[in-house]
Amino acid sequence: MDHRAVGVFDSGLGGLTAVRELRRLLPSENIIYLGDTSRVPYGGKSEETLVRYSRQDLAFLRTKDVKAALIACGTATTAALPALQQENEIPVLGVVDAACRRALEVTDNHRIGLIATAASVRSGVYERTMRTMDGAVRTVSCACPLFVALVENGRYRRGDPVVELVAREYLEPMKATGVDTLILGCTHFPLLQDVIAEIMGPEVTLVNAGAEAARALADVLREKDLLAAGEGSLRLYASGDPAEFGQLAAPFLDEPLENPVEPAVLETE
Ligand code: DGL
């Protein structure tokens, strides 16, 4: 048993897709979440910058004495997971492995689509991970950077003509490739799940990278005897405007925020 908090970070709102699942699975956990909203989006940044930002994000969480950390960001995972795992003695998980494993479990035709940020797609990490797990898999990848901007501005609901237009442009060519499984490899994208599901159709299974990673983290906490007991809590930090982050986060989390979002000052040297 360990009552220290679990640390979770993302560039902004996207990692809350993992937090929502963690709260559902492990209501006793204390969760500390950092949204690096002063530097969002991560998806167009270089690998070197992403490693630096990720180190700073995790260093902030470690000042709160977290017992484990989840990089709830596809982009940061593809760039920085090995470095952060090597540099920290606590368990550090990313979102890629769990999402790939799930996609390979649910596919029938071994054609798996990936939508993610430009940096994640460029890295090739999702594709390599899947090929290591299953040599027969065929993958199709598409970067969807505008999705991040839409989500960060609270624009992700069905019926929003801008959202629908952007989603059709990205997803119709993906649908035409015949994939039967689509990894939402950027944690921002499950907020657009309804829109994406409508375009891809019922025959395509969507894999939510954040939620899959939350399940993997729950397994690790259980295996390592790190679970907490009692009533858990959620504390949110944002490196940008905390009030704005709170307004966007609350409807998505499906629970009233017990505490106001706090400002995060990151060590950027
Ligand atoms: N949510 C992040 C991801 O999973 C990053 C999106 C961004 O900041 O571009 O890739």
Side-chain angles (χ1 to χ4, degrees), residues 43 74-76 78 114 116-127 185:
T75 311
T78 57
L114 167 73
T117 64
S120 291
V121 169
R122 192 182 57 224
S123 76
V125 170
Y126 276 99
E127 291 87 339

Side-chain angles (χ1 to χ4, degrees), residues 10-11 14-15 40-44 72-76 117 120 148 185-188:
D10 177 44
S11 59
V40 69
Y42 277 13
C73 173
T75 311
T117 64
S120 291
V148 177
C186 167
T187 53
H188 278 70

